[in-house]
Amino acid sequence: MMGQHTGNQNQLFYSFNLDEHIPANHLLRSIDQCLDLGELRIHIAKHYSPIGRPSIDPELMIRMLIVGYCYGIRSERRLCEEVHLNLAYRWFCRLSLEDAIPNHSTFSKNRHGRFRESDVFRWVFDEVVRRCMAAGLIKGEGFAIDASLVEANASHQHSVAPGEAFDWNNPEIRTRAMTEYLDALDNNQSSDVERKISLSDPQSRWTAATGGIAYFAYSTNYLIDTAHGIILDVEATPSHRTAEVDSTKTMVDRVKERFDLKPDRLIADTAYGSAPMLGWLVKEKQIEPHIPVMDKTARKDGTLSRDDFEWNEAADEYRCPAGNLLRIQWRDYKTPRSHVTSADTIIYRSRASDCATCSMKEKCCPNTTFRKIARSIHEDARDVARKIATTPEYEISRCERKKVEMLFAHMKTILKLDRLRLRGLTGATDEFTLTAIAQNLRRLAKLSVLGTPSKGLGAPAT
């Protein structure tokens, strides 16, 4: 006989235990076992007044944001609706069935105030990394770094073209993002701009680096431990290659300072293989660069390239295939010269008389009277990187570098961070940091087999 549900909802009293309705294998239950925000109130206490009306619990707002970024809910208005309806979200946020949900405007007010003043998102990120260390998921032997473009919340239709005059004091554009941008500029900033600037988010950068249609974007930079793909640091930068590469130094130094971790090797793509970066890794940090060398010395006109010349380190000179020498200088100067150019290179030159009588001149320097070679002051570090590239360990590193790209793919497809919602570099920093927290927590919940780490553990896992 077919049954029929009565649909009676008139019962006055219920016996309901919220914990019993959350499955044992639910993602949020696993994350809750790994997350400890017990010290959060101490970290942020000085940013609250000791008198007045009690505020919304900061731990509640952090837990709600973690839920949102773990499930791709980045709209705070929609997040409040989802937490109101979803039992698992309520349970994770320590809310009962009767507890009210904070208004969505509370998040915006705290984000522009206490949360940024206390850098609370960075604090939570660091705590999660320490949990990963205590769970044995971070080995500290190999790091990998990369950057990914994320579209900014800005339209090309509301922008200033290069050379276009504009009144930067117009009160109609005085948003938080614009104020943040103008405060970072010199007081004598000209109204003319060198690049297209968005009036909605001027710190974002107009880019066509993906090869398609240009758009305003920021770059999220990840430094990960290759053992299990845990994100050790995250940095938001404008979508500019120089800024992305420079963030490497910031993150490596910060990880060393906060977690006492320094890798034996750093893995990256060719964009990070510039001479100054390789010199910094090899000479200053004693880190093996598992990075392809950025080399533009090869000639395309069929003439001899630098690799065809023999280098003699002891004599500090090159020898051409015909046997002629190339040196820094061919006579002594009363005042010693460094010979280092503005591009951090040293120029080695042959004698014009040698080249004039050389049978290989047409193949070597057909359009000049002598041949010259520019050698970087970091060439010894570049040679180290070239030697590493011939080892079996380098081939392993090439595969491990894909773990960073997988995190970016997960960020955009699963966590839905393919376009920013917040504006300004600080807004991008908030979103990228919260996304990295969510990715680390998901990875920790999946891989950790040690249960909840003991309080206070934070030393590098061995």
Side-chain angles (χ1 to χ4, degrees):
M1 180 176 67
M2 183 182 296
Q4 182 176 355
H5 179 58
T6 61
N8 184 5
Q9 296 179 328
N10 297 325
Q11 185 175 345
L12 183 60
F13 299 102
Y14 291 89
S15 176
F16 188 88
N17 187 337
L18 187 58
D19 184 74
E20 295 177 354
H21 289 74
I22 311 303
N25 60 348
H26 196 282
L27 174 63
L28 289 180
R29 186 180 286 277
S30 301
I31 290 177
D32 186 66
Q33 294 175 353
C34 303
L35 181 65
D36 181 11
L37 298 177
E39 304 293 331
L40 174 64
R41 298 178 65 86
I42 298 175
H43 172 77
I44 204 173
K46 64 181 180 181
H47 298 277
Y48 285 83
S49 173
I51 59 175
R53 182 180 176 183
S55 69
I56 303 295
D57 187 352
E59 181 176 348
L60 169 60
M61 288 189 285
I62 294 298
R63 284 183 172 270
M64 288 181 65
L65 288 171
I66 288 174
V67 168
Y69 278 81
C70 280
Y71 288 94
I73 309 170
R74 292 166 43 242
S75 166
E76 287 150 4
R77 188 187 297 269
R78 181 172 164 237
L79 175 62
C80 292
E81 296 173 354
E82 293 291 336
V83 173
H84 176 72
L85 295 173
N86 192 299
L87 294 181
Y89 296 173
R90 277 185 173 270
W91 173 86
F92 181 79
C93 295
R94 306 290 194 265
L95 295 170
S96 68
L97 292 177
E98 295 83 11
D99 287 334
I101 307 300
N103 188 276
H104 64 87
S105 62
T106 306
F107 292 92
S108 177
K109 181 176 179 61
N110 280 274
R111 180 173 62 250
H112 295 295
R114 299 184 184 99
F115 285 177
R116 284 184 182 165
E117 292 170 2
S118 63
D119 204 8
V120 68
F121 296 146
R122 171 61 64 171
W123 181 88
V124 175
F125 175 83
D126 290 346
E127 288 298 304
V128 173
V129 172
R130 291 188 179 94
R131 292 272 157 178
C132 294
M133 293 168 65
L137 301 182
I138 296 175
K139 302 303 180 184
E141 184 272 332
F143 290 178
I145 191 168
D146 206 350
S148 181
L149 294 179
V150 179
E151 184 179 357
N153 186 6
S155 171
H156 71 91
Q157 296 175 340
H158 192 218
S159 61
V160 177
E164 180 180 351
F166 188 78
D167 181 13
W168 296 100
N169 295 317
N170 188 343
E172 295 182 1
I173 64 167
R174 280 287 181 169
T175 60
R176 285 192 181 95
M178 180 61 73
T179 302
E180 182 181 329
Y181 168 72
L182 293 177
D183 289 344
L185 296 177
D186 296 332
N187 294 330
N188 297 326
Q189 172 69 17
S190 171
S191 59
D192 295 333
V193 295
E194 297 179 356
R195 60 180 176 86
K196 193 171 186 178
I197 293 182
S198 167
L199 299 179
S200 303
D201 189 355
Q203 288 183 299
S204 63
R205 192 171 183 90
W206 184 253
T207 179
T210 57
I213 299 176
Y215 56 93
F216 289 105
Y218 286 96
S219 292
T220 177
N221 300 268
Y222 277 4
L223 179 69
I224 73 164
D225 183 89
T226 57
H228 295 284
I230 299 298
I231 304 168
L232 297 175
D233 206 346
V234 55
E235 183 79 4
T237 61
S239 56
H240 188 269
R241 184 58 56 84
T242 301
E244 294 171 1
V245 174
D246 289 344
S247 70
T248 304
K249 299 180 180 180
T250 301
M251 291 191 286
V252 169
D253 288 340
R254 190 159 52 198
V255 168
K256 173 61 178 176
E257 176 186 354
R258 298 190 178 186
F259 309 117
D260 194 24
L261 289 173
K262 192 188 83 168
D264 296 329
R265 56 194 173 99
L266 181 69
I267 308 167
D269 58 25
T270 311
Y272 299 83
S274 64
M277 175 57 65
L278 296 176
W280 181 78
L281 288 171
V282 175
K283 299 175 184 178
E284 295 188 31
K285 296 300 177 180
Q286 291 76 50
I287 298 174
E288 291 185 2
H290 286 231
I291 304 172
V293 177
M294 186 184 297
D295 194 347
K296 299 180 180 179
T297 59
R299 294 192 170 189
K300 300 179 180 180
D301 58 359
T303 58
L304 298 178
S305 65
R306 192 183 67 179
D307 292 340
D308 296 316
F309 290 73
E310 180 183 352
W311 167 247
N312 187 331
E313 184 174 1
D316 191 21
E317 62 187 17
Y318 281 96
R319 185 178 294 274
C320 76
N324 297 318
L325 298 179
L326 289 81
R327 292 177 177 170
I328 300 175
Q329 62 185 31
W330 288 98
R331 66 183 178 88
D332 296 331
Y333 295 91
K334 293 182 179 180
T335 303
R337 302 181 180 184
S338 67
H339 299 284
V340 178
T341 68
S342 58
D344 286 338
T345 60
I346 299 175
I347 306 299
Y348 291 80
R349 297 175 175 85
S350 64
R351 284 194 179 97
S353 57
D354 290 340
C355 292
T357 59
C358 181
S359 60
M360 300 185 66
K361 186 179 187 306
E362 291 301 317
K363 192 175 181 181
C364 181
C365 52
N367 301 319
T368 59
T369 57
F370 62 91
R371 178 62 186 261
K372 62 181 180 179
I373 293 177
R375 180 179 175 86
S376 171
I377 61 174
H378 305 292
E379 196 64 33
D380 51 347
R382 285 156 57 91
D383 290 338
V384 170
R386 293 187 184 100
K387 184 176 180 180
I388 291 175
T390 62
T391 63
E393 290 77 12
Y394 180 80
E395 296 299 322
I396 297 175
S397 296
R398 290 182 62 188
C399 296
E400 291 179 331
R401 189 175 65 83
K402 297 178 182 178
K403 294 182 179 181
V404 192
E405 298 171 355
M406 292 170 63
L407 285 168
F408 290 144
H410 179 266
M411 174 188 73
K412 294 181 179 181
T413 59
I414 305 300
L415 303 188
K416 309 300 182 184
L417 188 65
D418 53 355
R419 189 175 192 270
L420 292 171
R421 186 177 64 87
L422 305 181
R423 288 172 173 165
L425 188 60
T426 54
T429 299
D430 289 348
E431 291 214 63
F432 294 155
T433 305
L434 283 167
T435 302
I437 290 171
Q439 289 181 295
N440 277 348
L441 283 172
R442 290 170 66 107
R443 184 64 58 91
L444 177 61
K446 178 180 179 181
L447 298 180
S448 178
V449 295
L450 303 179
T452 305
S454 300
K455 184 178 179 180
L457 290 181
T462 57

